[in-house]
Structures are given as C-alpha cells and as structure tokens.
Amino acid sequence: MFAHLSSPSQAVVSVTELNKTVRQTLEASLPILWVAGEISNFKRYDSGHCYFSLKDAGAQVRCVMFRNRAALLDFRPLDGLQVEVRAVVSLYEARGDYQLTIEAMRPAGAGALFAAFEALKKKLDAEGLFDPARKRPLPAFAQRIGIVTSASGAALRDMLTTLRRRWPGIEVILYPSAVQGVQAPAELLAAVRAASTRNEVDVLIVGRGGGSLEDLWAFNDEMLARAIAAAPMPVISAVGHETDFTIADFVADVRAPTPTAAAELASPDRSSYLRRLDSLAQQLQRSMQRQLQQRMLAVDALARRLRHPGETLRMQCMQLQSLNMRMNRAIHGNVSSQQQGLAQLERRLTRQLPDLTPVQHQLERLQGRLLQAGQRQFASQQQRLDYARIRLDTLNPRAVLARGYGYVTLADGQLASSVDQLPPRTAATLHLADGEVGITVDPAAPNQGVLF
C-alpha cells in the first residue's frame, strides 16, 4: 500500500487521508496484543475516560482507556505502577499521534503487592473492621492531638503549621516512626500501640506524604490495621495524596486525602469560630436591643395608661362635655325635626281650613259697630254719672259745712244730734268746713240748745 501511495504517477494526498490510511494499516496489520510498562502522567477526566503514557527504560507510548473499559478495573491505576495492558495499536488522526487503545489492564511488576493488598482488604472487611457503624466521630474541640509519622518528614511540618494556624492552643504529641522501608511496619505498630496505651490524646493522626506503592506499603500491614481499629481514641488516616489508598485508610475512623487535610479535620478553625462568635455577639446585641425597645414600648404604653387623677377627671369632664354636646345636638335635632313636622302639619292644616276672609270682614264691621255702640253707651253713662255726681254733691254734708254749718261728735265718735247728748262739761268735737276743733259744754249756760 505504501509503495502504491509513493508512485510518481499518483496525485498528492492530504494529511487527513494519510493519517487515515496509516491508522487503518496499523489496526489491520497488528493484532490485539499485551504490552507491559510503567504508568506515567495518568489522568481520569470527568467523562470517565483515562489518558496516560506507558513507558519503559527506552521508550514510551500514549494510551487511552475509554470509560466503559475503565469502569471494569478492580484496582486504581497510579503513576509509577507497572501494568500489563491488552491494547489495539492505532493512530489518533487529528494529531497524527501513535497510541494504544486499552481494552484491559492488570498489575504487572506490582501484581503480588496488589494481590496481597486485595486479599488483606477482603479479610479485614469480612471481619467488620471497615464497617461504617464502628467508625467513631471526631471530637469538636480536641485538647491534645497525637501524630504518628516521621519526625523529619514534610508531612509533620505541614500538619504543625496547619494546627498552629487553625487553633494555636492545641497541644501536639508526636509518636515518631519510620514511614517507609523494612523497619517501618514495626515502628508504626509500636507508635500506635504506645499512643493507645498512654491514651493521652483526643484524636490520633497516622500518616505521611505521597510516594509510590512500595513507599506506602508499610501502611498496608495487618497488625498496624488491627492496632488502629483497637485504638481507644478516634484515628485519622492521612497516607499519601488524594489518589492513594491503603489498608489504614479503610480501617481508620476517618480518611483524610492529605496530612494537611487531616490536621484540618482534627482541629477547629479558630478564625471561623471567632467569626461565629462575632456573629453571635452581634445577634445577641441586636436581640437585646430589640427586647429593650420592646420593654421601652411596653413601659411607654403603661405610662400612657397610668394617668394622674386630675388628668382622669379632666378626661371625664371632656367626655361629659362631649356627651352633653351630643345630647344638645340630639335634642336640637329632635326639636328641629318636631318643628319641621309641626310646620308641615300647619301647612297641611292651612290647606284644609276654609277661607275666613268674608267672615273676617264681617267681624271687623261688627267690631266697628260694637265700638260705636259702646262709645254711645259710655257717653250716656257718663252723663248719668255727672248728673248723679251733682246730686251727690248737693247732698254732701261737707257742702253744707261750706255754707257755714257744722256738726258735733261725742268722744266715742257718735254724732250728736240733740242737746240732751251734751250735758255740761261734756267734751266733744266740732266739725267745720275747713277743720275740727275740740269743745266743752259750758255748765253755766242754760240748756236751751246752745252748746257753747
């Protein structure tokens, strides 16, 4: 095929056609085969597809494992892991990259370690050491935190820095141990047992920084796993990076993706609690202000209800005046209504009465005639009266006295009409026209009717 493409008599082909022909040639000429190598630059994307390189001492090749095949793996691919892959040799046409499309993957150089890891994992899981029901919660405020790790490792420095930043008052007790190598399992076991025996911390962190599968293998020790499960305090496993898993991770009460994350899990965040306290203080202040304002409003309401007797009397007087005004308006309105009704009745009565104008004229004429008759009768009676007055004057004794006559009355006021009533020395009164004068009968005078 290549000889055919290179013939001078053929037209020039495009890059796309070239890459397509090469891919088809590779896939057709090479059967599915097993390739051994070390994983490098492994990445699993959100889509589930995995991309990495497979290398050995002399070369490397790009690899892709699509989601449907990656979901069948019973272990976690990691950088540095020796594996054997069943693959199709192909070409990624868009970039012209030669690559392997992985159909299956199995551990190679670390196959024995993975087998031992899986066997121990199944054993301990069957015994219930991984049961979530036996996991203990972490204390909210740990007073002391124990750390099982290398005294010279970067993981210890990271954890101490995090603890000082988050809660400076926490006391840290280090149980130093090797974290890799032949002596690491025994030292890790001794450190965990020492922490359990002394039982002086509230939570224990067991961990180290990242590394290869062989570097982390000490944390897959069965005795260490059982010691962690038997510890009297909660244990946080913080081994390697987020993608690293060990038996210690499964048996511990809490797994932290990194040592720094373990320190954050074990310690309260001072700044967040300070913010929380500040928020609570502000809420308390606002609550107290609201309650104080409510109490002040209640006092004001009671003060408004609590009046001086004089004020109460004044209010009652005002209310009485208001009621009096309302009563007067009601009476006035009632009277006005009655008056209006009466006026209406008067108008109706007026409409019902007969016309009295002729009678009124006749009455006026009769009154005139009656007045004239009365005047005439008065004049006649006046004449009669004048005549009687003249006659009376004629008969009036005082008129006689005016002509020079007089009369005598006795001491008892009796009129003396005879001299026999006037014996000598009798006191009497002589009445004349212009007055009266007292007299005494002279005893020497003869009793011949002469009084004095």
Side-chain angles (χ1 to χ4, degrees):
M1 179 179 293
F2 288 107
H4 179 70
L5 285 175
S6 61
S7 175
S9 60
Q10 297 297 321
V12 177
V13 299
S14 66
V15 175
T16 300
E17 293 174 346
L18 174 63
N19 286 350
K20 181 178 180 181
T21 302
V22 171
R23 180 183 63 79
Q24 293 174 348
T25 302
L26 287 174
E27 292 178 355
S29 60
L30 292 176
I32 296 177
L33 68 164
W34 285 91
V35 181
E38 177 185 335
I39 295 177
S40 175
N41 298 322
F42 182 87
K43 291 183 181 179
R44 184 191 296 268
Y45 290 90
D46 293 338
S47 62
H49 305 320
C50 300
Y51 297 89
F52 58 95
S53 294
L54 198 61
K55 66 179 182 178
D56 57 18
Q60 65 178 7
V61 61
R62 292 182 181 273
C63 302
V64 57
M65 191 174 194
F66 294 111
R67 177 178 56 192
N68 58 337
R69 296 296 182 178
L72 301 177
L73 293 176
D74 58 358
F75 68 98
R76 188 181 184 88
L78 302 171
D79 287 349
L81 185 64
Q82 294 289 332
V83 295
E84 296 175 351
V85 298
R86 184 171 180 267
V88 174
V89 180
S90 182
L91 182 82
Y92 182 50
E93 297 179 18
R95 290 198 304 263
D97 289 341
Y98 154 65
Q99 67 179 17
L100 298 180
T101 301
I102 308 300
E103 297 289 333
M105 182 188 301
R106 65 190 180 193
L113 294 179
F114 270 101
F117 175 85
E118 290 296 329
L120 180 59
K121 180 181 176 183
K122 291 179 181 179
K123 176 182 178 181
L124 297 181
D125 188 18
E127 294 180 14
L129 268 66
F130 300 166
D131 187 359
R134 61 163 294 277
K135 306 289 186 178
R136 294 162 293 188
L138 300 179
F141 291 92
Q143 300 293 321
R144 289 181 177 180
I145 296 178
I147 299 178
V148 176
T149 190
S150 172
S152 59
L156 177 61
R157 293 193 299 271
D158 293 341
M159 286 188 281
L160 293 178
T161 300
T162 301
L163 292 174
R164 283 195 297 267
R165 172 177 54 83
R166 288 176 61 83
W167 202 267
I170 290 180
E171 183 178 354
V172 178
I173 298 179
L174 175 64
Y175 303 94
S177 170
V179 293
Q180 71 181 61
V182 178
Q183 75 280 10
E187 291 188 14
L188 287 171
L189 177 61
V192 171
R193 286 178 174 175
S196 299
T197 302
R198 292 160 59 176
N199 196 16
E200 57 190 348
V201 296
D202 301 312
V203 62
L204 182 66
I205 300 175
V206 178
R208 57 153 290 163
S212 65
L213 178 62
E214 292 82 0
D215 294 337
L216 306 180
W217 192 254
F219 293 89
N220 292 323
D221 182 76
E222 180 178 356
M223 297 299 292
L224 175 63
R226 295 186 183 280
I228 291 175
M233 73 287 292
V235 178
I236 302 175
S237 175
V239 181
H241 299 302
E242 186 173 359
T243 57
D244 298 325
F245 280 89
T246 64
I247 296 298
D249 295 329
F250 294 106
V251 76
D253 296 284
V254 177
R255 178 194 179 256
T258 63
T260 300
E264 292 178 350
L265 290 173
S267 61
D269 186 3
R270 179 175 178 270
S271 59
S272 65
Y273 277 100
L274 289 177
R275 289 193 298 270
R276 178 61 176 164
L277 287 175
D278 184 62
S279 176
L280 292 175
Q282 293 179 4
Q283 293 180 16
L284 179 61
Q285 184 178 5
R286 288 193 294 268
S287 176
M288 293 178 63
Q289 289 177 350
R290 285 195 299 270
Q291 292 190 20
L292 180 60
Q293 291 174 356
Q294 292 174 358
R295 297 296 188 273
M296 292 173 63
L297 291 175
V299 171
D300 292 341
L302 292 175
R304 287 193 295 270
R305 293 173 57 187
L306 183 63
R307 295 190 180 93
H308 190 275
E311 178 67 15
T312 303
L313 181 61
R314 188 181 69 83
M315 295 295 294
Q316 291 178 350
C317 289
M318 293 176 61
Q319 185 177 10
L320 181 61
Q321 291 175 0
S322 176
L323 292 174
N324 186 33
M325 293 174 61
R326 291 173 59 187
M327 183 182 68
N328 291 335
R329 285 196 298 269
I331 293 175
H332 179 72
N334 190 23
V335 170
S336 176
S337 177
Q338 295 295 333
Q339 288 177 347
Q340 291 178 2
L342 181 60
Q344 185 178 7
L345 291 176
E346 288 179 352
R347 288 192 296 271
R348 292 175 60 189
L349 180 62
T350 301
R351 288 193 295 269
Q352 298 297 327
L353 290 176
D355 188 8
L356 299 180
T357 303
V359 179
Q360 185 69 25
H361 292 164
Q362 184 178 2
L363 180 60
E364 290 176 355
R365 288 193 299 272
L366 291 175
Q367 285 179 347
R369 292 173 60 186
L370 179 61
L371 180 60
Q372 293 175 0
Q375 289 176 350
R376 288 193 298 270
Q377 183 67 21
F378 180 75
S380 175
Q381 294 298 327
Q382 186 69 35
Q383 290 177 358
R384 291 179 62 187
L385 181 60
D386 291 342
Y387 178 72
R389 185 182 295 110
I390 293 172
R391 292 183 61 191
L392 182 59
D393 289 341
T394 304
L395 296 176
N396 189 358
R398 291 187 180 277
V400 176
L401 294 177
R403 291 196 302 270
Y405 293 95
Y407 64 91
V408 177
T409 58
L410 299 177
D412 58 0
Q414 183 179 1
L415 178 66
S417 59
S418 173
V419 294
D420 294 334
Q421 294 176 296
L422 301 169
R425 296 183 178 86
T426 299
T429 301
L430 177 59
H431 298 271
L432 299 176
D434 58 351
E436 300 172 354
V437 65
I439 61 173
T440 302
V441 178
D442 185 2
N447 189 11
Q448 295 178 351
V450 180
L451 297 176
F452 46 84

